[in-house]
Amino acid sequence: MTGPEQPRRSGLRDPERSVRSLGAATLAIEAFVLLLAIQPIRVVGGDLGGPAIGAIVALAVAAVVLAGMMRRPWAWHAGTVLQGLLMLAGLLHWSLLVLGVIFALVWGYALHVRRVILG
């Protein structure tokens, strides 16, 4: 058939809500992992000082706040900044860089899914 290209439907009832849920879940899991990682990092990694623990808690709180604000378009950009800050926290301890890279990849995938579904 010739005619204007129809936008591809995702098959989801509410694609916007589904994508927001994906972003919120990603950030919530990141916050959970960060908080759970404090003790193993201290045991295995050695010297995890107060500034590093403070950075982990601050990043986890920021992730939870952003997860609750995913209705706002800027929250996606802020989530990307959060991933960069987590990798930057790798200056405090190498394991934070590793977690930052892992979650940056997961966040990148969430952004890809968002782009594919919403266009």
Side-chain angles (χ1 to χ4, degrees):
M1 289 182 115
T2 61
E5 287 277 330
Q6 293 290 331
R8 191 174 80 183
R9 289 188 41 116
S10 65
L12 298 168
R13 266 190 212 149
D14 189 353
E16 295 256 346
R17 183 177 177 193
S18 299
V19 169
R20 281 194 316 264
S21 296
L22 172 65
T26 301
L27 291 169
I29 291 169
E30 181 174 358
F32 186 68
V33 168
L34 284 172
L35 292 176
L36 285 178
I38 292 173
Q39 186 60 25
I41 291 172
R42 288 181 65 216
V43 170
V44 175
D47 188 29
L48 186 65
I53 293 174
I56 292 171
V57 172
L59 290 168
V61 168
V64 169
V65 168
L66 284 174
M69 312 228 16
M70 292 308 294
R71 286 183 187 258
R72 303 198 170 49
W74 57 262
W76 288 93
H77 301 292
T80 302
V81 170
L82 181 73
Q83 306 315 313
L85 290 174
L86 179 55
M87 287 189 284
L88 190 61
L91 296 172
L92 299 172
H93 196 272
W94 64 268
S95 60
L96 296 177
L97 175 64
V98 173
L99 285 174
V101 168
I102 291 168
F103 279 108
L105 291 170
V106 172
W107 187 252
Y109 179 71
L111 289 173
H112 169 74
V113 169
R114 177 180 184 238
R115 187 176 61 244
V116 168
I117 290 177
L118 299 181

